[in-house]
Amino acid sequence: MSSPRLPVLLLPHPLILLPTARLTFPVSRALAEAILTLLDDSEAAQPLLAAIPLPGPSEGAGPDGAFDVSSAINSLPTYGTAARVVRLVRPRTSSSPGAPRQPYLLSLHGLTRIRLASPLQMDTTSLDTLPLHKVLYPSAEGTPSRETVEAFKDAALSLLDRLAKDSVQPQRKDDWLRIAGIVEDISQQRAAWMADVLVAAVSGQYGDKLAFLAATDVEDRLHRATEYFVKQSSIQEVSKKIATAVDESLSRQQKEYFLRQQLAAIQRELHSLHNSPGTAGPGFGTGGVTSELDDDEQADTDDLADLRRKIEALEVGTEERKVGVREWRRLKRIPQGSVENGVIRSYLEWLTSVPWPSTSTPPSASLDVLKDHSFLTRARAQLDADHYGLDQIKRRLMEYLAIVRLRAIAEAAAATSALPQTEGDDANHGALVPASNPGAVDKAVSISNSPPSPPKSKGVKGPILLFVGPPGTGKTSLGQSIAKALDRPFQRISLGGVRDEAEIRGHRRTYVASGPGAIVQALRKAGRNDPVILLDEVDKVGHSNFHGDPAAALLEVLDPEQNHSFNDHYINVPIDLSQVLFICTSNTLESISAPLLDRCEIVELSGYTYDEKKHIARRFLLPKQIQANGLSDSQLTLTDSSLLHIATMYTREAGVRSLERAIGAVVRYKAVEWAEHLDNVTTSSSGEEGVVVATKSDWHAIVEEHELEKILGIPRWDGEEREREEKRGVVYGLVVTGMGEGGILPVESAALPGAGRLKLTGSLGDVIKESGEIALSWVKTRAFDLGITAGRGIDPLKVPDPIDIHLHLPSGAQKKDGPSAGIAMICAFVSLLSGACVPKDVAMTGEITLRGRVTPVGGIRMKVLGAHRAQIRKVILPWANRKDVEHDVAPEVRREMQFFFVRTVDEALEAAFGRGALCWRRETMLLESRL
């Protein structure tokens, strides 16, 4: 049988293609054209080549030792790999003129070992050709011995484990470990194939791979692979040790070099300082500009002197003074470069920065403000200027401000009358440094004279106000207005997501990088001991965990009877917080603990009416957006109808944040029109003759109501108004959402064939489910009186046909619970069973009893405002909530709505359906006479 002939391709040194491997390398244009011709002439899609490695410089060296191509060709090996042509591509050419050009890339896939039948005769001119040559396929049959396979596996696994440990990339490490798992499970018949795969994958010396390629016998091949793996493992281990030693040596040398460079720089600076004619100042006599970032010895001394003066300013005999003196003495004994020195110094800086009563702003400054006869008038004007509406909140704040003024004036008068009795008395105050020796900072405390201090003023304990309301109702800005009215600094502390008690009380000094809590930090920023501190989002503070309970830490802060001696863990000195006016904000009361809620005075901000929103938008939001978008008041005007349309159809909410965003969208739209108008005017004025020049009449500054749909899109709430309709079994109840906003919620009921059961859906809680069962029991009891059944004792769900009632409250993704849906459920059941419909502009709330009494519910103001926003005109409420409507609901809302206050379910049904809409069978008494 004749030997097959294959085109021979010489692989340039040091490329070797082993069976099962894939190799991609660049080829010349002439060789690429020859391969293309081979592809065109071959019947197979991927023709075969004989890939023969070209020897290296050592094998192809000439007589003078230089590499000779002709000598390398004459010493070609007679073995290689039969490879399939996988791909021949032309890469993207480089745009730079000097870049090397390599037109083609060839990809080969090794299949099996081959041997040349005779030595290949080629010269240097035929390197870019593919000459046909006879090849032989050595026999690959045979099974290696078990001992040879086990030795191969041990060497391979050892090498793979070393490669996995030395891999930096996680993906590469996983790949080596995955291959190791395959090697463990490989059979004896597949061991030779695995040897080809591993030798091709592991980088090594060219001669070793060439010898492995020449091994045609299976046993010999596994022996060579085992030796190759052992050698590579040793090389990897030695390389790792050398690299580690080099890294350690380099790190040590770099550190020594860095320190020596620092030492040389310090010596140069000291030399220039000593040799300079002017040695005073941090400029080192060079005449350069002094920077506040210069860290010199004089600045450090000034800082210590300032720290000492602050400690001396503390009142003698107080706890903070004693602690400050003790820590100062410790600071002077500890070397300056030690870690403990920095810890003590940081603590003293915090201790002296806290506004203690003796170092805070003198009371005369605040007293002058409170003594002014126009104080209350200016405070009321400040609140009115910053907020529209909120009359109850303003009334409570004015009460507090009036008490503050009266108490301050009374205490000032008492102090003035007691002052003559103390004249002539000397008050001795200690000093850290005697006046005769100001330089001795570590001497004992001496006595110095100072003027008498006026008697302490207890002041008015600040109330703990808790503003509860939906987002965007002005809770945070109210605190800023109070601070302005009192002429006090304002600080805000956000408690949302705080889960560590140390964020309130501070960390103890034993911890690394410890510091004071948020309260002390706010006092330091304020610089006074009577600021207005706003504790924002107090309902979102974290609950008890292994970090402690932040809500419990607030109990001491917000208790007027305890916060005169608040103890921060870091400062560890009692701090007086009784003069601080704390204001808390919250969206709901459910997540606040009962003890914390008991310490606060709750002030509810239920939301704004449409009239209030219109005034707020006119006075605050619109001017703010006009200024923020680069316009002026004369360039944009929104009519009252436009503002009311935005509030009712686009931003139906309790607050005004969405309203501000909608107004901002309108202003930005008009800003774009104004910018285009200016561009047109500029372009037209600089154009050629005959071009129409834009005039001011082309710009429309007024935004009408009919233009809003073009600017803001389709009204968001218009669809809900149209979908609301009178339908059997559907009524509308009043609800309060989790964020404190009021609204309406349809209560839907439907009858379906069944066995007289009640099905409740809509993510309902246990309380509201019980309300549904009570409502259905009442309807069954009064079914004859309502004209639903023909006689007493008949179950309307079983006679004449057995049915089930399905009660559903939409928005199933929201949890619903609470005792306020009884009336709405009864009306829904009565409407479903009797066929009468409740008008779509009627909404109701109230809980019921089994005897038919209507009990009061909470959140009346929020529910009424939500009904007003939803265009409800008739509201049914419990009689006991009448005082809530008269006290909390604004008069303009009461004028636009009709309220029905009911004591019993009968009155509620008559108010909901209308007089005479239900066929009542009034009770008649039957008397039996006997003779």
Side-chain angles (χ1 to χ4, degrees):
M1 180 178 179
S2 60
S3 301
R5 300 168 61 88
L6 291 178
V8 177
L9 173 65
L10 297 181
L11 299 178
H13 180 80
L15 298 180
I16 293 181
L17 180 62
L18 293 175
T20 72
R22 178 169 292 192
L23 180 64
T24 301
F25 60 99
V27 296
S28 63
R29 179 183 293 272
L31 185 57
E33 291 176 355
I35 295 175
L36 288 175
T37 304
L38 177 65
L39 291 172
D40 295 334
D41 298 339
S42 176
E43 297 179 358
Q46 296 178 338
L48 296 181
L49 294 175
I52 306 297
L54 188 66
S58 59
E59 293 85 0
D64 55 352
F67 180 73
D68 187 9
V69 177
S70 59
S71 301
I73 293 176
N74 294 331
S75 61
L76 279 175
T78 59
Y79 41 83
T81 304
R84 190 180 301 278
V85 179
V86 178
R87 185 172 56 181
L88 180 65
V89 296
R90 181 173 184 173
R92 187 179 304 171
T93 58
S94 177
S95 59
S96 58
R101 185 178 181 185
Q102 187 64 50
Y104 291 88
L105 287 177
L106 176 64
S107 296
L108 300 178
H109 178 67
L111 299 178
T112 183
R113 288 174 171 78
I114 60 169
R115 292 184 66 88
L116 299 178
S118 61
L120 186 65
Q121 302 296 328
M122 295 182 66
D123 54 10
T124 56
T125 59
S126 59
L127 289 177
D128 294 336
T129 61
L130 298 175
L132 292 174
H133 200 81
K134 292 183 178 181
V135 296
L136 301 175
Y137 290 94
S139 176
E141 299 179 357
T143 303
S145 63
R146 184 179 184 87
E147 293 78 10
T148 304
V149 174
E150 292 298 329
F152 163 77
K153 286 186 177 181
D154 293 340
L157 291 176
S158 176
L159 176 61
L160 292 173
D161 182 67
R162 171 63 61 180
L163 292 174
K165 289 181 179 179
D166 297 344
S167 297
V168 179
Q169 300 179 355
Q171 182 63 34
R172 192 72 173 173
K173 181 177 181 179
D174 295 339
D175 292 340
W176 291 124
L177 294 177
R178 193 178 299 110
I179 296 175
I182 298 175
V183 171
E184 290 180 350
D185 300 334
I186 199 71
S187 61
Q188 294 184 13
Q189 292 77 12
R190 300 282 290 174
W193 170 83
M194 179 55 68
D196 290 337
V197 173
L198 291 180
V199 172
V202 177
S203 59
Q205 295 183 0
Y206 179 83
D208 296 335
K209 288 195 174 184
L210 200 62
F212 179 77
L213 178 63
T216 57
D217 182 66
V218 175
E219 192 82 16
D220 183 28
R221 195 187 312 169
L222 287 182
H223 278 298
R224 290 180 181 271
T226 303
E227 295 175 357
Y228 180 81
F229 294 157
V230 172
K231 181 179 180 181
Q232 289 303 120
S233 298
S234 302
I235 293 175
Q236 288 286 337
E237 184 177 0
V238 173
S239 300
K240 183 66 176 178
K241 290 181 180 180
I242 294 175
T244 304
V246 170
D247 289 342
E248 292 177 356
S249 176
L250 287 176
S251 300
R252 187 164 52 250
Q253 292 176 3
Q254 290 173 354
K255 183 177 181 181
E256 182 179 359
Y257 174 80
F258 178 72
L259 292 176
R260 290 188 180 278
Q261 290 296 320
Q262 278 191 329
L263 180 60
I266 293 173
Q267 290 176 350
R268 285 195 303 269
E269 295 294 338
L270 289 175
H271 180 72
S272 62
L273 175 64
H274 294 157
N275 296 337
S276 160
T279 58
F284 299 104
T286 59
V289 180
T290 302
S291 173
E292 63 180 358
L293 300 180
D294 291 336
D295 187 12
D296 58 343
E297 186 177 355
Q298 182 62 34
D300 188 68
T301 304
D302 294 342
D303 291 342
L304 287 175
D306 182 62
L307 189 61
R308 186 184 66 240
R309 285 192 296 269
K310 291 180 179 178
I311 298 176
E312 289 178 347
L314 297 175
E315 187 176 354
V316 178
T318 58
E319 185 68 21
E320 60 270 15
R321 168 84 177 213
K322 297 177 182 177
V323 173
V325 171
R326 183 175 66 250
E327 294 296 328
W328 173 266
R329 291 174 177 172
R330 288 185 59 203
L331 179 67
K332 301 309 294 181
R333 290 194 299 267
I334 296 176
Q336 190 170 358
S338 66
V339 178
E340 186 68 17
N341 183 283
V343 172
I344 296 177
R345 184 167 176 175
S346 177
Y347 172 76
L348 286 175
E349 289 176 354
W350 273 107
L351 180 69
T352 55
S353 63
V354 174
W356 305 102
S358 57
T359 60
S360 185
T361 304
S364 58
S366 302
L367 186 60
D368 294 339
V369 176
L370 296 174
K371 275 187 174 182
D372 191 354
H373 297 287
S374 60
F375 170 72
L376 294 179
T377 304
R378 286 188 291 104
R380 185 179 289 107
Q382 180 71 49
L383 293 175
D384 291 337
D386 293 343
H387 298 83
Y388 183 85
L390 306 179
D391 296 331
Q392 295 183 16
I393 293 93
K394 292 178 181 178
R395 188 185 309 119
R396 176 63 186 91
L397 296 177
M398 290 305 299
E399 293 173 358
Y400 168 71
L401 296 178
I403 295 174
V404 169
R405 181 172 184 270
L406 294 177
R407 288 285 300 271
I409 293 175
E411 290 180 356
T416 304
S417 61
L419 190 59
Q421 303 176 5
T422 62
E423 288 184 356
D425 297 339
D426 293 333
N428 296 325
H429 293 269
L432 288 176
V433 181
S436 60
N437 189 10
V441 294
D442 53 351
K443 298 294 183 181
V445 176
S446 62
I447 306 299
S448 63
N449 295 330
S450 62
S453 59
K456 275 190 176 182
S457 173
K458 294 183 180 180
V460 181
K461 291 184 178 180
I464 313 298
L465 301 178
L466 175 57
F467 293 157
V468 182
T473 51
K475 299 184 295 296
T476 304
S477 57
L478 266 175
Q480 298 176 349
S481 301
I482 296 171
K484 292 178 183 177
L486 287 172
D487 194 20
R488 295 186 185 181
F490 174 78
Q491 292 295 322
R492 174 181 171 271
I493 300 175
S494 179
L495 297 178
V498 172
R499 57 183 179 86
D500 194 349
E501 176 191 357
E503 296 188 40
I504 306 296
R505 285 182 174 164
H507 299 81
R508 300 189 184 276
R509 292 174 59 189
T510 54
Y511 296 105
V512 178
S514 58
I519 303 298
V520 175
Q521 294 180 23
L523 287 176
R524 180 185 184 181
K525 294 177 183 178
R528 288 172 53 175
N529 64 344
D530 59 345
V532 177
I533 296 181
L534 180 76
L535 303 178
D536 208 4
E537 308 293 351
V538 74
D539 59 324
K540 298 174 181 61
V541 69
H543 298 289
S544 179
N545 53 36
F546 65 93
H547 291 290
D549 191 353
L554 288 174
L555 297 178
E556 182 183 2
V557 177
L558 300 180
D559 192 347
E561 301 300 329
Q562 299 180 21
N563 61 8
H564 63 276
S565 59
F566 170 70
N567 185 28
D568 185 90
H569 288 164
Y570 181 79
I571 301 297
N572 204 22
V573 176
I575 301 174
D576 186 9
L577 301 180
S578 60
Q579 303 303 312
V580 179
L581 174 57
F582 286 102
I583 298 176
C584 306
T585 67
S586 170
N587 296 127
T588 180
L589 298 178
E590 281 114 15
S591 57
I592 303 178
S593 62
L596 183 59
L597 199 61
D598 182 64
R599 286 162 168 79
C600 302
E601 181 178 344
I602 301 175
V603 180
E604 292 188 359
L605 288 81
S606 302
Y608 298 106
T609 63
Y610 287 137
D611 184 64
E612 290 174 340
K613 286 187 177 182
K614 183 178 69 175
H615 284 83
I616 292 172
R618 177 70 63 194
R619 289 175 52 181
F620 304 104
L621 305 183
L622 183 58
K624 177 182 176 182
Q625 291 296 326
I626 288 177
Q627 182 180 4
N629 290 279
L631 298 177
S632 61
D633 295 339
S634 60
Q635 294 170 349
L636 178 61
T637 304
L638 267 72
T639 62
D640 290 345
S641 60
S642 300
L643 293 176
L644 188 61
H645 188 73
I646 294 175
T648 55
M649 295 300 179
Y650 290 94
T651 61
R652 188 171 296 176
E653 58 170 353
V656 293
R657 285 179 181 163
S658 297
L659 178 61
E660 182 177 4
R661 286 191 287 266
I663 292 176
V666 175
V667 175
R668 289 192 298 271
Y669 182 88
K670 298 300 290 184
V672 173
E673 286 190 353
W674 175 250
E676 294 174 350
H677 170 72
L678 292 180
D679 294 341
N680 293 334
V681 171
T682 304
T683 304
S684 302
S685 61
S686 60
E688 299 177 355
E689 295 183 359
V691 179
V692 179
V693 179
T695 61
K696 193 171 183 179
S697 60
D698 298 333
W699 166 254
H700 301 285
I702 301 177
V703 179
E704 299 291 347
E705 181 179 345
H706 61 84
E707 302 179 55
L708 293 177
E709 186 169 348
K710 179 179 66 174
I711 300 174
L712 299 177
I714 300 175
R716 178 181 177 186
W717 301 100
D718 189 34
E720 181 180 325
E721 304 300 332
R722 295 176 182 174
E723 291 175 1
R724 224 165 53 209
E725 59 181 356
E726 296 183 12
K727 194 172 183 180
R728 179 179 178 180
V730 178
V731 299
Y732 292 91
L734 301 177
V735 296
V736 178
T737 64
M739 301 304 292
E741 299 181 5
I744 63 171
L745 182 69
V747 179
E748 303 175 350
S749 60
L752 57 157
R757 293 188 298 267
L758 174 63
K759 183 178 181 181
L760 300 170
T761 58
S763 298
L764 308 182
D766 295 336
V767 177
I768 202 169
K769 287 181 179 179
E770 291 180 357
S771 298
E773 294 174 358
I774 293 173
L776 184 59
S777 298
W778 187 91
V779 171
K780 288 181 178 180
T781 305
R782 304 293 300 275
F784 176 75
D785 297 336
L786 292 170
I788 299 175
T789 58
R792 296 186 182 277
I794 298 177
D795 190 349
L797 272 62
K798 295 183 179 180
V799 178
D801 297 322
I803 61 173
D804 287 344
I805 291 183
H806 185 180
L807 183 72
H808 177 67
L809 274 64
S811 301
Q814 299 177 359
K815 297 291 183 179
K816 308 174 188 68
D817 203 0
S820 62
I823 291 181
M825 291 180 175
I826 281 185
C827 292
F829 291 150
V830 172
S831 173
L832 178 67
L833 297 176
S834 66
C837 297
V838 178
K840 63 180 181 179
D841 60 346
V842 176
M844 60 200 72
T845 184
E847 191 51 88
I848 59 171
T849 66
L850 202 56
R851 298 181 294 111
R853 305 293 299 177
V854 178
T855 58
V857 295
I860 293 298
R861 185 173 191 269
M862 292 176 280
K863 292 178 179 179
V864 171
L865 290 180
H868 181 261
R869 287 191 291 267
Q871 309 294 331
I872 295 295
R873 293 292 174 262
K874 189 175 180 181
V875 178
I876 302 174
L877 300 174
W879 179 267
N881 291 119
R882 185 187 189 105
K883 57 182 182 303
D884 298 321
V885 175
E886 296 176 353
H887 186 264
D888 297 336
V889 180
E892 57 269 17
V893 176
R894 297 204 302 266
R895 287 193 296 267
E896 296 180 6
M897 303 179 71
Q898 187 178 7
F899 295 92
F900 289 86
F901 301 98
V902 297
R903 294 186 177 90
T904 62
V905 176
D906 296 351
E907 297 177 2
L909 293 175
E910 187 172 349
F913 292 94
R915 188 180 298 272
L918 298 177
C919 301
W920 285 94
R921 292 190 180 100
R922 300 300 178 184
E923 295 183 359
T924 56
M925 183 177 295
L926 300 178
L927 298 178
E928 181 181 0
S929 62
R930 293 183 180 180
L931 296 177

